[in-house]
Amino acid sequence: MRSLTVVAAGAALVALAGCTTAERPRHDAKDAAAANFDEGSQRFGDGAALAGKATSCIPLRNIRASHVRGDRVIDFEMNGKQTYRNVLPFDCPSLGFEERFAYKTSMSELCSTDLITVLQAPGLSRGASCQLGQFQPISGKAR
């Protein structure tokens, strides 16, 4: 069985070399807005809207980028301009602060049963491991 490990980061590692923890942004308000879903308007608090039915898995080969929105929310940008929002079932400590994570899977898909592991600077040491949620297709620009 083949194993695949992928690292997703919101910023280039070279750019992180000069950063201190005091300079890193907090994502509490953005995270709350991105995770807050209004049933009536079918929109998230950050402006993104539902664009279809949630799915349990997305193909790894189609993931173009990931955008950490906070300790519970990751947007996966796919080839073909589709974006999937993953709202984790629980907060993942330091995910919003570090904005980078790794995952390991033996399949060709990333699924809601998989775990992500926060990568912490300096040296990209391993932080908390957290389970993913369902992948919800979204449209519109998230603020």
Side-chain angles (χ1 to χ4, degrees), residues 10-70:
L13 296 180
V14 175
L16 292 175
C19 293
T20 66
T21 55
E23 296 170 351
R24 301 298 298 274
R26 292 196 40 89
H27 291 273
D28 296 340
K30 282 177 65 178
D31 188 30
N36 184 23
F37 181 71
D38 178 18
E39 292 283 338
S41 69
Q42 296 290 289
R43 290 194 169 279
F44 289 90
D46 65 352
L50 287 181
K53 194 173 184 175
T55 185
S56 296
C57 301
I58 57 174
L60 288 174
R61 70 180 178 282
N62 291 347
I63 299 173
R64 189 169 79 202
S66 63
H67 305 282
V68 175
R69 304 287 184 207

